[in-house]
Amino acid sequence: MGCVAHTRGVSTPAAYLEDALLVDRCLGGEQAAARELFRREHRRVQATLYRVLGSNRDMDDLIQDVFLQVFTSLRGYRAEARLSTWIDRVAVRVAYRYLAGKKRQPIAVDMVADEPPAPRLSLHAQAVAREGVRRLYGVLAELPPAARIAFALHVLDGRAVKEVAELTGTTVTATKVRIWRARRALDKAAERDPLLAELVTEDDA
Amino acid sequence: MNRLADKIPVEPLSDERRARLEDEVASLFVRARVADAPRARRWPWLLAPVAVAAAVALALTARGRDDRAAIVVEVAPPAAVDAQPMRVVTPPGAGVRVPLGDAIVDVAGDSAVEIATGDATEVRLLRGAVTCDVEPRGDRAPFAVVAGDVSVTVVGTRFEVARADAVRVAVDHGVVRVASPSGTAELTAGQTWTSAPQPPASLPRWARAELTDPEPVAAVGDKPRRPRKPTTPPPVTDEPAPLPQPRRPRGSMRNEAFTAAAAAEADGDLARAITEYARALRDAPAGSPEAQYALYSMAFLANASGDHATALRRAEAYDRAYPRGIYAKDALWLRIYVHHTRGGHARARALAERYVDRFGLDKYGIAASRLLE
């Protein structure tokens, strides 16, 4: 289950200035700035939450929760990281609280999309993916929220371990341990589940 | 590509759902009243250094400027904090209210007290004055105020104890028992008692602090003040000498926004000046001296108007955008200064180290190196 970290939120000087000015406008009470912030960030927020939760169920509430927390904490944002990174941290915290509140109840994976995804995979692959993903999130649902989030952010969302550690407010070592635990649980489940094994092992191929 | 991730595409939200969400989030923004949210309170002058630490949750509530108990400090139940006393130092003109369950202690401005809770509550008055509103003790834990060799034991009352050259006790209602080397006395409502002149007290370092917080009880919505002349930072630190204030950017720029900003500054309207600098920043070519001047000015004026969080954010943005810019030293020093004077000593030291590494021992560098000692 290897993964490749990809770069997010290019950190150019102009980007930092853009962040600072947008935050200033929000703090000035400008509603248009709040909408601009939403339009700029909501896709990444949704993607982060989706990777962790495996579903768009409750997504509207969660996204609203993320942005409410962003707005009420905005005065504390100190530009020590990109605004997008800071918002990611808020999204991860919201996801954690949501999962902790669920007390490890398996979350039904809603594979009915709002919009049909682009047909990039063959029909067979799509069918395998749908069922495999459902089972994958079934296994993840049995894990502690911290392990589930670390795994989802690193393996499913492709973030570097260091970035996951920063987002979850823990050490790199602890993050590695969490990811390893999740992988071990997944590997064990895959031994008994050929479909899940296909999803997982193909990833290693 | 990450193959597993590729097999789990994120299902996008429909345009309709996204638009509805945007409206709801915009509505949340209005309800959250972001612009009116109180700024982080300036409380480093409220000392609880070795005392309550993590056991005490501070909830600071702004009240009127003239309200003597302008800040409310909520402390944890006595059982959680009885290991070590809580220390409170207040600057002149700004009191602090400390609710203690069945008692309220109003610490007057320019005072230093130590409050120990547990089997009994003892308020040690090192200087200044406290007013205590205490419910009848009955079976409750004893409550006493100790000022030097004078001890005031509460039966259930409201009273004031002030300590200067002598200790003065004034009872508003109820009964207190005063014990001093000259004997004991019981005071009832309306009575006062004054001790013999007290020898100068030998105060611990924390209680000697002369606090000069610029605006400890500023109400939300107060107009920003004009930039202050350099003052000594709050000496609630181990620093032997004051740090230099960040410098105002030098020179001036000639265009409409800069002219308007300068005029607003001259009028003392820092908020308008910042708005004009923001306009100048948007209009200026990226990386130009004008853009740098505008951004650093925004950071400087935010600090001058007391919005330290915003000042830090803008100075950090400057550092990220122009690490070798015209005002790079000033922006980094501004961050060090704000962190240090607001109680963020660890962060200030880390930035000071960065400053010395990057810029050496110039004027700010020498001051920064002091923080590293």
Side-chain angles (χ1 to χ4, degrees), chain A residues 14 18 35-37 51 53-54 64 66 79 91-93 110-111 117 121 125 151 162 169 174 191 203:
Chain A
E18 201 178 294
R35 285 183 179 273
E36 189 177 326
L37 181 67
R51 294 290 196 199
L53 306 175
Q64 286 184 50
V66 169
V92 168
R93 277 206 303 272
D110 179 9
M111 295 304 295
L121 304 174
F151 180 86
K162 187 172 178 230
E191 285 173 9
D203 186 58

Coordinates of all heavy atoms in Angstrom, one line a residue, chain A residues 14 18 35-37 51 53-54 64 66 79 91-93 110-111 117 121 125 151 162 169 174 191 203:
Chain A
A14 N 3.2 35.4 -2.8 CA 1.9 36.0 -3.1 C 0.8 35.2 -2.4 O -0.2 35.8 -2.0 CB 1.7 35.9 -4.6
E18 N -2.0 36.7 -0.1 CA -3.4 36.5 -0.4 C -4.1 36.0 0.9 O -5.2 36.5 1.2 CB -3.5 35.5 -1.5 CG -4.7 35.5 -2.3 CD -4.7 34.4 -3.4 OE1 -3.8 34.6 -4.3 OE2 -5.4 33.4 -3.3
R35 N -17.5 34.2 1.7 CA -17.9 33.3 0.6 C -16.6 33.0 -0.2 O -16.5 31.8 -0.7 CB -18.9 34.1 -0.3 CG -20.3 34.2 0.3 CD -21.2 34.9 -0.6 NE -22.6 34.9 0.0 CZ -23.5 34.0 -0.2 NH1 -23.2 32.9 -0.8 NH2 -24.7 34.1 0.4
E36 N -15.7 33.9 -0.4 CA -14.5 33.6 -1.2 C -13.7 32.6 -0.5 O -13.2 31.7 -1.1 CB -13.7 34.9 -1.3 CG -12.5 34.8 -2.3 CD -11.8 36.2 -2.4 OE1 -12.5 37.2 -2.3 OE2 -10.6 36.1 -2.5
L37 N -13.6 32.7 0.8 CA -12.9 31.7 1.6 C -13.5 30.3 1.4 O -12.8 29.3 1.2 CB -12.9 32.1 3.1 CG -12.1 31.1 4.0 CD1 -10.6 31.2 3.7 CD2 -12.4 31.5 5.5
R51 N -12.2 11.4 2.6 CA -11.2 10.4 2.7 C -11.3 9.7 4.1 O -11.1 8.5 4.2 CB -9.8 10.9 2.5 CG -9.6 11.5 1.1 CD -9.5 10.4 0.1 NE -8.9 10.9 -1.2 CZ -9.0 10.2 -2.3 NH1 -9.7 9.1 -2.4 NH2 -8.4 10.7 -3.4
L53 N -13.9 9.7 6.2 CA -15.2 9.1 6.5 C -15.7 8.1 5.5 O -16.5 7.2 5.8 CB -16.3 10.2 6.7 CG -15.9 11.3 7.7 CD1 -16.9 12.4 7.7 CD2 -15.7 10.7 9.1
G54 N -15.3 8.3 4.2 CA -15.7 7.3 3.2 C -17.1 7.6 2.7 O -17.7 6.7 2.0
Q64 N -20.1 22.6 7.4 CA -20.5 23.8 8.1 C -19.8 24.0 9.5 O -19.4 25.1 9.9 CB -22.1 23.8 8.4 CG -22.9 24.1 7.1 CD -24.4 24.1 7.5 OE1 -24.8 24.8 8.4 NE2 -25.1 23.3 6.7
V66 N -16.9 22.9 10.2 CA -15.5 23.3 9.9 C -15.4 24.8 9.7 O -14.6 25.5 10.3 CB -14.9 22.5 8.7 CG1 -13.6 23.2 8.2 CG2 -14.8 21.0 8.9
A79 N -0.7 32.9 10.5 CA 0.1 32.8 9.2 C 1.4 32.1 9.4 O 2.3 32.2 8.6 CB 0.3 34.2 8.6
A91 N -10.4 20.8 9.9 CA -11.2 19.8 9.3 C -10.9 18.4 10.0 O -11.8 17.6 10.3 CB -11.0 19.7 7.8
V92 N -9.6 18.2 10.3 CA -9.2 16.9 10.9 C -9.8 16.8 12.3 O -10.3 15.8 12.7 CB -7.7 16.8 10.9 CG1 -7.2 15.7 11.8 CG2 -7.2 16.6 9.5
R93 N -9.8 18.0 13.0 CA -10.3 18.0 14.4 C -11.8 17.7 14.3 O -12.3 16.9 15.2 CB -10.1 19.3 15.0 CG -8.7 19.5 15.7 CD -8.8 20.5 16.8 NE -9.3 21.8 16.4 CZ -8.5 22.7 15.9 NH1 -7.2 22.5 15.8 NH2 -9.0 23.9 15.5
D110 N -21.7 5.3 1.8 CA -22.6 5.8 0.8 C -22.0 5.9 -0.5 O -21.3 6.8 -0.8 CB -23.2 7.1 1.3 CG -24.2 7.7 0.3 OD1 -24.6 6.9 -0.6 OD2 -24.6 8.8 0.4
M111 N -22.2 4.9 -1.3 CA -21.5 4.9 -2.6 C -22.3 5.5 -3.7 O -22.0 5.4 -4.9 CB -21.1 3.5 -3.0 CG -20.0 2.9 -2.1 SD -18.5 3.9 -2.0 CE -17.9 3.8 -3.6
P117 N -19.2 9.6 -11.1 CA -17.8 9.9 -11.3 C -17.5 9.6 -12.7 O -18.1 8.9 -13.4 CB -17.1 9.0 -10.3 CG -18.1 7.9 -10.1 CD -19.5 8.5 -10.2
L121 N -12.5 3.9 -14.7 CA -12.2 2.5 -14.4 C -13.1 1.6 -15.3 O -14.2 2.0 -15.6 CB -12.3 2.2 -13.0 CG -11.5 3.1 -12.0 CD1 -11.9 2.7 -10.6 CD2 -10.0 2.8 -12.2
A125 N -13.6 -3.2 -12.5 CA -12.8 -2.4 -11.5 C -13.7 -1.6 -10.7 O -13.5 -1.5 -9.4 CB -11.8 -1.6 -12.2
F151 N -4.3 6.9 8.9 CA -4.3 6.0 7.8 C -5.0 6.7 6.6 O -4.4 6.7 5.5 CB -5.0 4.7 8.1 CG -5.0 3.7 6.9 CD1 -4.0 2.9 6.7 CD2 -6.1 3.7 6.1 CE1 -4.0 2.0 5.7 CE2 -6.1 2.8 5.0 CZ -5.1 1.9 4.8
K162 N 4.8 13.2 7.8 CA 5.1 14.5 8.6 C 3.9 15.4 8.6 O 3.6 16.0 9.6 CB 6.4 15.1 8.0 CG 6.8 16.3 8.9 CD 8.2 16.8 8.3 CE 8.6 18.0 9.2 NZ 9.0 19.1 8.4
G169 N -1.6 16.9 15.2 CA -1.0 17.4 16.4 C -0.3 16.4 17.2 O -0.4 16.4 18.4
A174 N 4.5 8.6 16.5 CA 3.1 8.2 16.9 C 2.2 8.0 15.6 O 1.4 7.1 15.5 CB 2.5 9.2 17.8
E191 N -6.8 -11.0 4.6 CA -6.5 -12.5 4.6 C -7.8 -13.3 4.5 O -7.8 -14.4 4.0 CB -5.7 -12.9 5.9 CG -4.3 -12.4 5.8 CD -3.6 -12.7 7.2 OE1 -4.2 -13.4 8.0 OE2 -2.5 -12.2 7.4
D203 N -2.8 -2.5 -4.9 CA -2.2 -1.2 -4.6 C -0.7 -1.3 -4.4 O 0.1 -0.4 -4.7 CB -2.8 -0.6 -3.3 CG -2.3 0.8 -3.0 OD1 -2.5 1.6 -3.9 OD2 -1.7 1.0 -2.0

